[in-house]
């Protein structure tokens, strides 16, 4: 939604980029991909901010790479998912080892 709009890439870049962050944007057919490289706290803040642009119901997947376990929820209310992401910011930024994806049939946000 946010990247497929009519805003030029430079406007999107300035909105999410600080001096130390890296950002690239690509398009492969109908798939638009934004790749953000920043410190862990900044990435989690961006994920939380971008998630506000998703529809009211989303799916979420959390994979613990170290243990090999996975947790999924479908059709979750966006406010509940955003609340969970807000609570996970500090542990994920501190310890890592987790892949978190929030997605719909049309959009996906992933932190690895």
């Amino acid at each position: 939604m946010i990247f497929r709009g009519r805003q030029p890439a430079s406007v999107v870049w300035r909105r999410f980029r600080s001096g130390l962050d890296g950002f690239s944007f690509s398009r492969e057919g109908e798939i638009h991909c934004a790749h953000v490289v920043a410190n862990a706290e900044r990435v989690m803040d961006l994920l939380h901010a971008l998630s506000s642009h998703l529809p009211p119901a989303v799916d979420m997947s959390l994979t613990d790479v170290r243990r090999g376990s996975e947790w999924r929820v479908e059709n979750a209310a966006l406010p509940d998912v955003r609340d969970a992401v807000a609570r996970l910011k500090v542990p994920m930024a501190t310890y890592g080892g987790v892949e978190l994806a929030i997605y719909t049939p049309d959009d996906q946000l992933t932190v690895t």
Side-chain angles (χ1 to χ4, degrees), residues 3-4 16 20 23 36 38 41 44 46 51 56 65 67 73 85 97 100 105:
F3 296 109
R4 289 187 305 230
F16 296 107
L20 302 174
F23 182 96
V36 178
E41 293 87 7
M44 290 305 296
L46 287 172
S51 68
V65 178
R67 293 184 184 171
V73 63
V85 168
L100 172 66

Side-chain angles (χ1 to χ4, degrees), residues 59-103:
D59 299 334
M60 182 175 163
S61 171
L62 183 70
T63 304
D64 183 339
V65 178
R66 293 183 185 124
R67 293 184 184 171
S69 58
E70 186 173 0
W71 175 80
R72 290 179 185 237
V73 63
E74 296 178 351
N75 264 345
L78 183 60
D80 294 339
V81 170
R82 293 189 78 233
D83 181 54
V85 168
R87 286 185 273 134
L88 289 171
K89 279 184 191 180
V90 173
M92 282 188 64
T94 304
Y95 302 109
V98 173
E99 180 176 285
L100 172 66
I102 305 168
Y103 53 95

Side-chain angles (χ1 to χ4, degrees), residues 7 9 15 34 37 55 57 63-65 79 82 101 106 108-109 111-112:
Q7 294 181 351
R15 180 173 178 186
V37 178
T63 304
D64 183 339
V65 178
R82 293 189 78 233
D106 297 322
Q108 178 174 331
L109 299 171
V111 171
T112 305

Side-chain angles (χ1 to χ4, degrees), residues 2-51:
I2 190 169
F3 296 109
R4 289 187 305 230
R6 296 186 181 263
Q7 294 181 351
S10 61
V11 173
V12 175
W13 173 272
R14 273 181 284 187
R15 180 173 178 186
F16 296 107
R17 183 181 184 277
S18 77
L20 302 174
D21 299 341
F23 182 96
S24 66
F25 185 77
S26 63
R27 179 178 178 188
E28 298 174 17
E30 292 297 315
I31 298 174
H32 300 261
C33 182
H35 181 87
V36 178
V37 178
N39 70 38
E41 293 87 7
R42 177 84 170 128
V43 168
M44 290 305 296
D45 287 341
L46 287 172
L47 176 77
H48 191 261
L50 287 171
S51 68

